[in-house]
Amino acid sequence: MGIFLGNKLCENCSRSYDRAKDKCPHCGYENPDPRSRGFINFEPPGVPRELALCFGGYLMLTFVAAIVQFIYIGIFSAGYTGSEADYAKALSDYLMAPSQLSVIQYVSYGVVAVAVCALFIGHWKPLLRKFRPKRMYWAAIAFIGMYAFNIFYSLILNAAGVSISDNENQSLVVSLVRYNVPLAIIFLGLVGPLVEEFIYRVGAFGLLSRINKYAAYVLGAIIFGLIHFDFTNPSVNELLNLPNYIVPGLLLCLAYDKCGLIASYSVHALNNVLSVILAAAGVK
């Protein structure tokens, strides 16, 4: 437990480096610990960055969204002329309108994306150099697996006579897509997956892998499922939709573990862009 949470001294140059790295970044001497091979396909950015991503990234998303929402509440309250009894419902309808909701969602993603890029200034090359095009078949496996599971899960539910509708997360996505398709492609299809891959794969999965790789897969998938779960309305429908996020979360962890950030981001972004296009076309 915790074997990869600290640094070690290189046996060749005597300089300190992250013990999860397969080679000393200073002299290139191979890490003699065989357990470091578990990180050979992706670049561990270090415990401080992983902590900043998985905790700070999520908190920043929530914080920025809360600030933008607070601004909208002030604007709405200043111009509200209805009765006090109707205020709460009118405010909720106002905040959930696509025009306001899109700004809240997209500003949050944009700010966190900039913060992530700033966090990795000077560290992009080691993060991306692990990419091996010949191993991108793992991305294909993950992508095909997502859609295969979706079809299989739907068939099981239909056979059991269970009908589920979109959960709250998917319903919000559809409303944002239909409000403005180009912005949805940019932020939901491209920027959002970048932010989530850094938070939940580079951050959470990378940090958990330092303790136990199997736990990283299980907890990483569950965490990814739960962030798409509406805890304000924990209905049966929300619970039945959870596997549609947990299994993709597991497959994204697989793509990241076997081929690095570019693989998991490519799968995530392609899936989201296709979902946006289908939502815009009215296809479920």
Side-chain angles (χ1 to χ4, degrees), residues 4 8 10 17-25 28-44 126 129-130 132:
F4 295 109
K8 66 174 295 177
C10 176
Y17 70 96
D18 185 348
R19 65 176 61 247
K21 292 184 181 293
D22 59 311
K23 294 180 180 179
C24 172
Y29 187 75
E30 187 172 311
N31 187 343
D33 189 338
R35 288 168 292 186
S36 67
R37 302 285 84 79
F39 300 85
I40 198 169
N41 296 317
F42 62 93
E43 176 71 11
R129 71 182 177 188
K130 290 292 184 74
R132 297 178 177 88

Side-chain angles (χ1 to χ4, degrees), residues 118-140:
L119 183 66
F120 279 85
I121 289 177
H123 196 77
W124 283 102
K125 284 185 178 180
L127 186 70
L128 300 177
R129 71 182 177 188
K130 290 292 184 74
F131 174 60
R132 297 178 177 88
K134 291 182 179 180
R135 294 184 64 85
M136 277 296 281
Y137 61 86
W138 286 107

Side-chain angles (χ1 to χ4, degrees), residues 17 44 142-143 258 261:
Y17 70 96
F143 184 76
K258 299 299 183 180
L261 178 63

Side-chain angles (χ1 to χ4, degrees), residues 96-98 101 106 170-180 279:
M96 294 303 292
L101 195 61
Y106 299 161
Q170 186 60 26
S171 297
L172 294 178
V173 167
V174 171
S175 68
L176 294 180
V177 169
R178 293 178 180 173
Y179 174 69
N180 191 308

Side-chain angles (χ1 to χ4, degrees), residues 4 79 102 194 227 250:
F4 295 109
S102 62
L194 178 67
I227 65 161
L250 185 68

